[in-house]
Amino acid sequence: MSVITFELLKESKDSLARLGKLYTPHGAVETPIFMPVGTQATVKAMSPEELVEVGSQIILGNTYHLYLRPGHELIERAGGLHTFMNWSGPILTDSGGFQVFSLSDLRKISEEGVEFRSHLDGSKHFFTPEKVMEIEMALGADIAMAFDECVAYPMEYEYTRQSTARTTRWAERCLKAHQKKDQTLFGIVQGGIFKDLREISARNLVSLNFPGYGIGGLSVGEPKSLMYEILEMTTPLLPAHKPRYLMGVGSPDCLIEGVIRGVDMFDCVLPTRIARNGTVFTWEGKVVIRNARYKNDFSPLDPRCNCYTCRNYSRAYLRHLFNVGEILGLRLTTYHNLFFLLQLMQEIRKAIAADSLLEFREEFFSRYLEKEKE
C-alpha cells in the first residue's frame, strides 16, 4: 500500500497535459511541478526558508553523493534527511544510478549490481538494488527511486535491450527489498531512443504496479526533438492515475514541452548550476549577467519578475558582484532562477486549468526563443 496518493484533477483537451495533486507524508504537491535538486542535502546557495519563499513544494536528495558523504547511517541517526537538512516538505531521492553510470571509466556492471570507484578518493564500492534500497530507506525521503541503468547516447540497440531487461529485473529486486512503510518507491522506465524497448520497459514496470513512474535515459545528449518523440509515445503507456516523472530535465522549453506530453514532475541541476556561472532565465530569454553590456544597466534582471532579487537589485549591481567574486551574486541569481521556473510551472498549471496551454506555449516561445538567439 503506497503512502502517497495522486489525484488527477484535469486532463487537457488539446494535449496530454494534466493537472494533479500528489499527497505525501510531508505535504501535498500541485502538479505539474519542477523540483529543485539538493544534491548533498542542500540546494546550493539556498536556505530552506528561501526555498519556501521561491515556491518549492518538493526537493531532491542524491543517493550516490549522500552515501559517500556524510553516509546514510549518519543521516539515519540524525532522524532522516528531513531533520538533517531542516526541510519539512516532501523529499524525493534518486537511486544514484545516473551518477554511478556517468562514471564510465570507474565502474563495472554485472547482473548483481555495479562496482564503482568514488570520484572523491578512488575507493571501491558496490551498489546492488538491495544496497540502494538500504541507503534510500535510511535517508527517509517520501519518494525513493528504484535502481536502474541509464545508458549513454548514442548506444547500440543490443546493449540497450540487455540493459533495459536488467533494469526491469533490478526493479523487481528493489520492490522485494523495499520495506519502509512511510516511503513510496517509484520505478524507472528505460529503453534509450528505441521505441519498442521503451514500450517493453513501460509495460513490464506497469505490471509491477509501482505507485509512480520515472522516465529515465532522456536528456543525455540526444536532440530535443527525439526526446519529445520518445516522451510522446511513452507517457500514454503509463497509468493515468499515477504520477509521471521526467528525470533530469529543467530548461523552460523542455518543461513546457514535457507537460504537453503528459509529464507531472521534473528535476534538474540546470537552474542552480547556470546561476552560479552568472546566467539567468527571464521571460524574454537568457541573460548572461557578466557581460559588459549590463555595466550601466540599472533595471532588474527581469521587469516581469517579482522575486526578491528583481525587486531589490539591478543588473549592474549583480554584474559587479560576479566580477569581484562576491558570494551574494550567485545566491541572488540562484534565488531568481528557481523562482522563475517555479513561477513558470504555476503559469503552466493555470493554462491547463483554462484549456489554453498551447496558446501559452506559443506566446512564451515567441518572446523567449527570439531573445535566446541574440
Side-chain angles (χ1 to χ4, degrees):
M1 188 73 136
S2 173
V3 294
I4 72 161
T5 57
F6 180 69
E7 182 182 6
L8 184 59
L9 300 174
K10 181 181 175 67
E11 294 181 282
S12 175
K13 294 179 180 178
D14 50 12
S15 73
L16 297 174
R18 57 243 214 106
L19 278 179
K21 206 159 191 178
L22 184 67
Y23 298 91
T24 81
H26 286 87
V29 177
E30 295 179 328
T31 63
I33 191 62
F34 174 78
M35 304 180 286
V37 178
T39 302
Q40 301 185 100
T42 176
V43 176
K44 284 183 171 57
M46 297 285 286
S47 71
E49 293 78 15
E50 288 168 330
L51 288 171
V52 173
E53 289 174 11
V54 299
S56 303
Q57 298 183 54
I58 176 173
I59 63 174
L60 265 72
N62 184 275
T63 296
Y64 166 82
H65 287 283
L66 294 175
Y67 161 76
L68 292 177
R69 295 184 303 189
H72 58 290
E73 299 97 338
L74 184 149
I75 293 175
E76 186 174 34
R77 289 196 301 273
L81 200 51
H82 289 91
T83 302
F84 188 59
M85 65 184 295
N86 190 34
W87 173 255
S88 60
I91 299 177
L92 181 150
T93 46
D94 63 17
S95 66
F98 178 80
Q99 285 72 29
V100 168
F101 294 109
S102 67
L103 303 170
S104 55
D105 299 326
L106 301 172
R107 47 92 170 150
K108 181 179 179 182
I109 304 169
S110 67
E111 181 65 27
E112 183 59 22
V114 183
E115 181 184 277
F116 64 95
R117 290 187 177 273
S118 165
H119 71 288
L120 299 171
D121 58 10
S123 57
K124 278 189 178 182
H125 304 270
F126 194 65
F127 269 11
T128 65
E130 293 77 13
K131 180 64 176 180
V132 170
M133 291 301 95
E134 173 195 323
I135 298 167
E136 291 198 83
M137 287 189 288
L139 296 176
D142 300 83
I143 301 171
M145 302 303 297
F147 191 49
D148 65 323
E149 179 181 0
C150 179
V151 297
Y153 174 85
M155 180 60 68
E156 65 271 15
Y157 180 90
E158 182 55 27
Y159 183 86
T160 307
R161 185 189 67 79
Q162 294 175 18
S163 168
T164 303
R166 182 165 53 239
T167 286
T168 298
R169 293 192 294 272
W170 284 358
E172 292 174 336
R173 288 167 60 186
C174 285
L175 277 172
K176 290 178 182 177
H178 188 265
Q179 302 295 326
K180 191 170 176 60
K181 293 182 179 179
D182 59 349
Q183 182 181 72
T184 294
L185 180 66
F186 281 15
I188 304 177
V189 176
Q190 289 289 349
I193 60 168
F194 304 103
K195 292 183 179 179
D196 61 330
L197 298 182
R198 285 280 169 182
E199 181 171 356
I200 290 170
S201 178
R203 296 196 185 285
N204 285 339
L205 286 168
V206 169
S207 73
L208 295 175
N209 197 29
F210 283 95
Y213 296 90
I215 302 170
L218 293 177
S219 192
V220 291
E222 79 282 2
K224 287 183 179 179
S225 59
L226 181 55
M227 178 178 76
Y228 298 152
E229 190 178 331
I230 295 297
L231 202 54
E232 200 162 282
M233 59 79 54
T234 302
T235 53
L237 300 173
L238 302 176
H241 62 286
K242 295 181 179 182
R244 306 159 180 168
Y245 162 31
L246 178 57
M247 307 177 74
V249 170
S251 63
D253 55 331
C254 289
L255 293 178
I256 294 173
E257 296 292 351
V259 168
I260 286 172
R261 288 162 177 80
V263 175
D264 306 303
M265 304 163 68
F266 303 84
D267 83 286
C268 195
V269 298
L270 176 70
T272 51
R273 178 173 290 168
I274 67 172
R276 297 194 301 277
N277 292 314
T279 299
V280 296
F281 300 124
T282 79
W283 290 94
E284 302 297 329
K286 288 180 183 175
V287 167
V288 182
I289 202 62
R290 294 175 180 271
N291 289 353
R293 62 188 291 188
Y294 302 115
K295 181 177 181 179
N296 295 297
D297 188 343
F298 301 109
S299 64
L301 278 177
D302 186 349
R304 184 175 164 180
C305 180
N306 192 43
C307 79
Y308 172 81
T309 301
C310 291
R311 292 197 317 270
N312 292 282
Y313 302 101
S314 68
R315 293 178 175 186
Y317 179 64
L318 289 164
R319 178 180 182 272
H320 159 71
L321 293 177
F322 272 91
N323 282 350
V324 297
E326 284 290 344
I327 293 172
L328 180 60
L330 60 88
R331 279 184 34 77
L332 292 173
T333 51
T334 299
Y335 190 107
H336 168 82
N337 272 359
L338 290 178
F339 184 97
F340 176 88
L341 286 190
L342 291 163
Q343 187 67 33
L344 174 63
M345 298 309 295
Q346 185 176 351
E347 294 298 317
I348 287 172
R349 293 193 296 271
K350 289 179 182 177
I352 298 172
D355 288 314
S356 59
L357 182 57
L358 297 186
E359 291 87 344
F360 174 85
R361 173 179 65 174
E362 184 177 352
E363 196 268 338
F364 178 85
F365 285 164
S366 70
R367 292 177 287 107
Y368 189 86
L369 294 184
E370 181 180 354
K371 186 66 176 286
E372 269 200 320
K373 293 176 183 177
E374 291 183 4

